[in-house]
Amino acid sequence: MIQQAITILDDLIREKRSRENRTESLLKDPSTRSGDGWYMCVPPCFNEALDIRRTERVKNGKKRLVWTQGSWFSFKRGDTVYDTADAYKVWSEALKSINLCVQIKSGYNAGPSERASERFSGSVTFSILTPDKARSKLVERTEHTMSQDDFVRFLIAGPCEELQSKISSFEE
């Protein structure tokens, strides 16, 4: 399922879609806490940031709302994503399971630019947090900046080599 999501992401980025040009091929199931096998747990509250939304479509002469996918990624300041769905349990229990947390410090939306032949890949700066040795709190370890497009790829498939080496250096 990860490869399918990456293929959809690559198509979304390559095709320079307008806001109206949306696909029914979704990066993830909009009702689940995470993508099937994604590296990070991305609950439905981030559907908007992933540009997953209900769109009116006409099928067989009938109007209905269907889930559609666009390429206007918009993670913003304050968004926090964990590597496990267990992060949403009681905090003392959650800390036993969390290995990685990313917290967005700033973000600029991604999407097609004014000229339809180009794409603005946006930007996102985030802190990387990991548990302390006692697993009593999360500690900010470093900050990283990448495009919104690459951030979505990270959520799906995990960190690039450079970021992985940073993350690995914090493991105790």
Side-chain angles (χ1 to χ4, degrees), residues 8-78:
I8 292 168
L9 176 63
D10 289 341
D11 289 345
L12 290 167
I13 293 168
R14 184 179 55 249
E15 291 182 14
K16 322 291 191 278
R17 297 175 178 272
S18 69
R19 280 215 191 263
E20 293 75 34
N21 185 8
R22 302 177 63 78
T23 179
E24 290 183 35
S25 297
L26 306 177
L27 289 171
K28 69 180 223 56
D29 180 333
S31 62
T32 62
R33 280 201 175 262
S34 65
D36 191 14
W38 280 28
Y39 184 77
M40 299 295 285
C41 174
V42 185
C45 62
F46 292 109
N47 286 348
E48 184 78 20
L50 288 168
D51 200 13
I52 298 173
R53 61 186 72 195
R54 289 194 180 260
T55 306
E56 190 174 274
R57 295 279 168 98
V58 177
K59 290 197 178 188
N60 300 325
K62 295 182 181 180
K63 289 182 181 180
R64 64 185 187 119
L65 290 175
V66 298
W67 286 105
T68 62
Q69 178 72 60
S71 65
W72 295 73
F73 306 129
S74 58
F75 286 88
K76 63 190 180 311
R77 180 179 179 83

Side-chain angles (χ1 to χ4, degrees), residues 128 143-146 159-168:
I128 296 172
E143 188 175 287
H144 194 78
T145 299
M146 62 178 55
C160 62
E161 193 173 313
E162 173 194 356
L163 186 54
Q164 181 58 53
S165 66
K166 280 185 179 181
I167 293 168
S168 295

